[in-house]
């Protein structure tokens, strides 16, 4: 940790953002750094007097589209110190599963591996556990990657879909942030890239992963996870070249993560799956394709302005599956499917009244509605679960796969998933 400490010693430091990572930064600095001053700030960047500070350490949720040499982050400081020992994993979808699977496989191969980043505690919380033999599997978000100047020694870039357009406005800017995981690598580094990732200027040794080259036996659902397994296998071979069966055994033994196509209950002969991590249309579609005998799917959340055409087409093409739409994106998709309403605002003033228990799923009483028969629109997850219970036939499955973020309705996707489980397992799920 010497280079991190040397960059912070005798400095006037501001911690910008005081969530989980901001508190972690404070703890690390107070334990290891000889600082001149240490302040904490939550608010607008315009309120910061930069002249008062030598270093400003920002939280990843604070997005700055322009570089500023005074600003840094845990991720940047960490990679400056440990890039040669780090395997970085990014992508729009699958990075948590791939990171966790890879750490599990490396441990099975006898490698001392730490799993950190978005999937666990902030990286500074693990520094005291890192020694000369440690390898770090670091799940990296676009926000963490946006301003780094050092990349991981081994980089995995799984895929790229529309996401976070509320921050980045264009797919190109979003891709630029993620591409730093490779663009800052040297000729001594390695990268593994999914086939739908655009070209990145690179110096490292690159391999494109387009499809599984092996017959993976998985304990997790989804053909897309066989692609994730392929990335894991290729990276593990860099460490463990002797016996493929050891790597394949570790992949097979991986049990998956909560809220990622997680089967959790069978009630009244209906199987329920929590895929709350789903925040884009492609994730929802993959979920439906991965589960046998899907009877109903609950979709909807915060609207980030991404393209939902692919999901609307999928709903039209799967008339045998009931899609229960809710929240902002649910209303938006319903309009794409034919729901006509005079007020064009995303939440018409009368919307809650229209979607009351009297009218949920009863389109005959509302004029100018021409939704497909396999679509219902409702106000929130409470009503959606109740509709799923009423309309999913025995022997079928119900999936929560929102294709949208949870923000504005839940603290995070974990809270949304846990609430879904509670609603499913309680006898009465209709709001009072």
């Amino acid at each position: 940790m010497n280079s991190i400490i040397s960059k912070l010693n005798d400095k006037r430091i501001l911690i910008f953002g005081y969530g989980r990572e901001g508190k972690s930064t404070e703890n690390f600095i107070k334990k290891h750094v000889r600082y001149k001053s240490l302040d904490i700030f939550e608010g607008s960047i315009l309120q910061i007097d930069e002249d008062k500070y030598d270093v400003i350490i920002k939280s990843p949720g604070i997005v700055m589209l322009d570089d500023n040499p005074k600003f840094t982050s845990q991720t940047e400081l960490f990679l400056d110190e440990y890039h040669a020992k780090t395997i970085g994993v990014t992508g729009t979808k699958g990075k948590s599963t791939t990171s966790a699977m890879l750490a599990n496989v490396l441990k099975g191969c006898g490698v001392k591996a730490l799993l950190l980043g978005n999937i666990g505690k902030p990286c500074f919380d693990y520094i005291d556990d890192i020694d000369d033999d440690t390898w770090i599997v670091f799940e990296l978000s676009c926000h963490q990657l946006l301003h780094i100047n050092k990349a991981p020694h081994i980089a995995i870039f799984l895929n790229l879909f529309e996401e976070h357009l509320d921050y980045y406005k264009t797919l190109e800017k979003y891709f630029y942030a993620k591409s730093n995981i490779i663009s800052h690598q040297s000729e001594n580094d390695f990268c593994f890239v999914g086939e739908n990732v655009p070209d990145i200027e690179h110096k490292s040794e690159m391999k494109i992963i387009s499809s599984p080259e092996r017959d993976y036996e998985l304990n997790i659902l989804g053909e897309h996870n066989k692609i994730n397994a392929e990335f894991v296998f290729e990276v593990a071979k860099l460490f463990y070249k002797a016996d493929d069966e050891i790597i394949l055994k570790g992949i097979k033994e991986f049990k998956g993560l909560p809220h990622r196509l997680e089967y959790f209950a069978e009630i009244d002969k209906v199987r329920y799956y929590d895929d709350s991590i789903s925040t884009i249309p492609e994730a929802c579609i993959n979920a439906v394709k991965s589960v046998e005998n899907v009877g109903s799917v609950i979709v909807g959340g915060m609207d980030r302005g991404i393209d939902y055409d692919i999901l609307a087409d999928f709903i039209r093409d799967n008339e045998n599956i009931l899609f229960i739409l809710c929240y902002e994106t649910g209303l938006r998709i319903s309009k794409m499917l034919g729901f006509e309403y005079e007020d064009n605002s995303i939440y018409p003033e009368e919307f809650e009244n229209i979607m009351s228990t009297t009218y949920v799923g009863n389109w005959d009483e509302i004029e100018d509605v021409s939704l497909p028969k396999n679509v219902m629109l409702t106000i929130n997850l409470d009503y959606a679960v109740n509709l799923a219970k009423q309309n999913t036939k025995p022997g079928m499955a119900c999936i929560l796969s929102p294709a949208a973020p949870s923000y504005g309705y839940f603290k995070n996707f974990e809270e949304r998933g846990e609430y879904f489980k509670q609603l499913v397992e309680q006898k009465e799920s209709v709001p009072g």
Side-chain angles (χ1 to χ4, degrees):
M1 71 181 81
N2 292 336
S3 74
I4 300 174
I5 293 172
S6 66
K7 288 174 182 175
L8 300 179
N9 270 346
D10 303 314
K11 297 294 195 301
R12 300 167 300 164
I13 302 169
L14 175 68
I15 297 173
F16 184 17
Y18 199 55
R20 185 175 60 169
E21 188 164 303
K23 293 171 184 174
S24 166
T25 301
E26 180 189 27
N27 292 337
F28 175 83
I29 290 172
K30 287 183 173 179
K31 182 176 181 180
H32 295 289
V33 176
R34 186 183 65 249
Y35 52 88
K36 278 188 178 179
S37 65
L38 179 63
D39 294 332
I40 295 164
F41 176 72
E42 292 186 288
S44 169
I45 190 172
L46 300 176
Q47 297 174 293
I48 297 175
D49 183 357
E50 294 181 20
D51 293 335
K52 290 176 58 178
Y53 303 101
D54 302 304
V55 180
I56 301 172
I57 305 173
K58 75 174 191 67
S59 295
I62 300 168
V63 177
M64 298 169 49
L65 297 181
D66 298 318
D67 289 326
N68 184 322
K70 278 197 176 181
F71 285 75
T72 187
S73 64
Q74 271 204 17
T75 303
E76 184 174 43
L77 292 167
F78 187 92
L79 288 175
D80 281 346
E81 173 88 29
Y82 296 111
H83 67 96
K85 302 168 66 66
T86 299
I87 307 164
V89 183
T90 199
T92 305
K93 284 293 144 189
K95 53 187 178 291
S96 294
T97 295
T98 303
S99 299
M101 186 190 298
L102 177 58
N104 186 70
V105 168
L106 291 178
K107 290 173 185 177
C109 294
V111 178
K112 182 180 179 183
L114 283 178
L115 176 62
L116 52 88
N118 265 9
I119 195 170
K121 295 185 293 185
C123 56
F124 276 14
D125 289 5
Y126 292 89
I127 285 180
D128 291 334
D129 300 325
I130 298 172
D131 58 28
D132 291 343
D133 297 323
T134 305
W135 275 88
I136 298 133
V137 181
F138 199 156
E139 182 195 333
L140 291 161
S141 71
C142 52
H143 302 334
Q144 290 171 302
L145 290 167
L146 181 57
H147 297 288
I148 64 168
N149 52 35
K150 274 278 179 60
H153 175 50
I154 301 170
I156 296 174
F157 194 153
L158 295 166
N159 47 50
L160 186 80
F161 302 106
E162 280 192 348
E163 178 75 295
H164 296 294
L165 297 191
D166 51 330
Y167 282 115
Y168 294 97
K169 307 306 179 187
T170 68
L171 183 62
E172 290 74 21
K173 290 180 180 178
Y174 170 57
F175 168 63
Y176 169 79
K178 283 194 171 290
S179 68
N180 283 333
I181 197 171
I182 291 170
S183 60
H184 290 292
Q185 286 187 309
S186 74
E187 59 273 7
N188 299 317
D189 297 324
F190 302 87
C191 64
F192 300 84
V193 180
E195 65 175 347
N196 83 323
V197 175
D199 291 338
I200 300 172
E201 188 173 336
H202 64 98
K203 298 176 182 177
S204 53
E205 182 178 331
M206 177 180 284
K207 180 165 184 178
I208 308 294
I209 305 292
S210 58
S211 60
E213 296 183 8
R214 297 155 191 86
D215 185 19
Y216 294 105
E217 295 183 58
L218 301 179
N219 272 310
I220 52 178
L221 294 172
E223 289 298 313
H224 58 288
N225 279 318
K226 293 183 179 180
I227 299 288
N228 296 336
E230 184 72 18
F231 280 94
V232 169
F233 185 92
E234 291 293 338
V235 172
K237 285 296 286 184
L238 295 176
F239 292 87
Y240 196 86
K241 303 182 186 303
D243 189 351
D244 289 0
E245 293 305 313
I246 299 295
I247 299 173
L248 294 171
K249 180 174 182 288
I251 290 172
K252 181 179 179 180
E253 290 176 348
F254 178 66
K255 302 295 185 184
L257 296 170
H259 313 300
R260 294 157 175 86
L261 261 185
E262 176 193 7
Y263 167 75
F264 69 92
E266 181 173 321
I267 298 173
D268 297 330
K269 298 183 180 180
V270 173
R271 291 169 290 116
Y272 289 91
Y273 292 82
D274 169 14
D275 193 39
S276 183
I277 190 66
S278 160
T279 57
I280 60 172
E282 291 83 358
C284 178
I285 292 168
N286 280 337
V288 176
K289 290 180 176 180
S290 300
V291 175
E292 290 186 1
N293 298 324
V294 177
S296 60
V297 186
I298 298 173
V299 176
M302 171 190 173
D303 189 0
R304 277 182 167 162
I306 63 175
D307 187 349
Y308 279 95
D309 284 346
I310 186 174
L311 183 54
D313 289 341
F314 186 77
I315 291 171
R316 292 187 189 99
D317 292 341
N318 287 270
E319 297 178 353
N320 59 323
I321 298 173
L322 173 64
F323 289 85
I324 304 169
L325 311 180
C326 54
Y327 300 121
E328 283 183 314
T329 47
L331 182 56
R332 182 176 160 204
I333 295 167
S334 75
K335 289 182 176 181
M336 296 171 68
L337 294 168
F339 179 31
E340 297 177 10
Y341 193 73
E342 291 182 3
D343 188 332
N344 290 323
S345 63
I346 195 65
Y347 258 128
E349 187 174 307
E350 302 89 345
F351 180 63
E352 291 199 24
N353 292 329
I354 290 175
M355 296 302 110
S356 68
T357 51
T358 303
Y359 292 108
V360 166
N362 186 4
W363 300 112
D364 293 337
E365 298 186 35
I366 305 176
E367 296 180 359
D368 298 325
V369 172
S370 55
L371 275 171
K373 292 182 179 179
N374 64 325
V375 173
M376 288 183 174
L377 175 63
T378 189
I379 187 68
N380 58 29
L381 189 56
D382 301 71
Y383 285 120
V385 170
N386 188 55
L387 284 170
K389 288 182 176 181
Q390 291 175 356
N391 292 279
T392 310
K393 296 178 180 178
M396 306 298 280
C398 169
I399 310 171
L400 169 68
S401 191
S406 60
Y407 308 129
Y409 308 106
F410 299 94
K411 180 180 177 182
N412 48 42
F413 74 86
E414 291 96 340
E415 182 180 79
R416 176 169 64 184
E418 291 303 320
Y419 189 60
F420 171 64
K421 292 175 182 177
Q422 292 173 23
L423 292 173
V424 167
E425 290 173 344
Q426 69 188 35
K427 290 184 178 179
E428 295 294 333
S429 62
V430 183

